[in-house]
Amino acid sequence: MRPALLLPVLLLTLACNSKLERAKAEDLIRKDYPVVVPVTVPERASAEKGSPEHLRLVSLKESLDKSGWFDSTVQADGSRETFTFRLKPSAPKDIKAAPKGFSMPAAEAVFVRAVRMEPTREGARVTYEIRLDKPTAQFPLFQALHPDVKIGQTKPRHATFERRRGSWGLTGTDETFRKAE
């Protein structure tokens, strides 16, 4: 091969093997945020008295009773109690029916930054952080179910990238929440 042709071929080869830059990864991930963090209220749930699940249901019932958005009842059956929650017509419109219960926005999770980037055979894997932000009026219900969660707390997430036609593309994340509207 002639030396004049060798240089463009070498530069093209190097360009195709370039690493994913942190700023590029962050820009691609940031497009999918913020996401809505929902709280799910079961229509019916049962637990053994004194169990951790029972304590969470009692706390949830107390929070729902304070909100005034739900009618709640408890029925005892031996050592178990069954909690039933029904949405009142006067409840906020952002409370939606969900499989086996009701779903409502509790907060948003926002993208913070990429923490670690690892090359893979197919492309790259990026570990990034999200932060719980912008609580709604339903956030106390979320905390009744998840007492260890606080506003401002960060959580790790992971994204995968592949190189396609000379540029990097986001192929997926392990984010479980949906994009805010």
Side-chain angles (χ1 to χ4, degrees), residues 1-176:
M1 187 180 268
R2 287 192 229 166
L5 291 177
L6 185 60
L7 186 58
V9 170
L10 187 59
L11 289 175
L12 184 60
T13 304
L14 288 174
C16 290
N17 292 330
S18 66
K19 287 178 27 178
L20 175 63
E21 295 177 15
R22 182 176 305 270
K24 176 71 171 173
E26 288 180 343
D27 287 346
L28 290 171
I29 295 169
R30 190 175 283 115
K31 290 178 187 175
D32 293 334
Y33 287 88
V35 293
V36 174
V37 179
V39 60
T40 303
V41 175
E43 191 171 350
R44 179 181 212 85
S46 180
E48 189 149 337
K49 291 178 185 174
S51 70
E53 180 63 22
H54 181 262
L55 296 174
R56 283 187 16 201
L57 287 170
V58 168
S59 178
L60 178 62
K61 181 186 180 321
E62 290 170 357
S63 293
L64 289 174
D65 289 345
K66 287 179 191 172
S67 75
W69 301 325
F70 288 83
D71 285 322
S72 58
T73 59
V74 179
Q75 289 181 321
D77 183 24
S79 64
R80 294 187 73 78
E81 285 188 336
T82 301
F83 295 77
T84 306
F85 304 104
R86 288 195 179 81
L87 189 63
K88 289 182 177 180
S90 60
K93 299 298 179 212
D94 57 354
I95 300 176
K96 306 283 187 213
K100 300 181 183 178
F102 308 94
S103 179
M104 59 195 101
E108 285 186 355
V110 296
F111 175 80
V112 178
R113 65 188 171 109
V115 179
R116 185 173 61 236
M117 298 178 58
E118 306 165 32
T120 64
R121 189 167 61 182
E122 298 82 23
R125 177 178 160 100
V126 176
T127 302
Y128 63 97
E129 290 180 341
I130 61 171
R131 181 181 63 245
L132 194 59
D133 200 21
K134 297 183 185 172
T136 66
Q138 294 87 359
F139 190 73
L141 299 175
F142 187 79
Q143 281 192 307
L145 293 172
H146 309 283
D148 55 327
V149 175
K150 308 280 186 263
I151 291 295
Q153 184 176 7
T154 61
K155 294 254 183 200
R157 293 288 193 263
H158 303 92
T160 53
F161 292 86
E162 286 184 5
R163 185 117 173 122
R164 295 184 185 151
R165 295 186 189 138
S167 66
W168 286 98
L170 176 64
T171 57
T173 68
D174 60 1
E175 182 59 72
T176 56

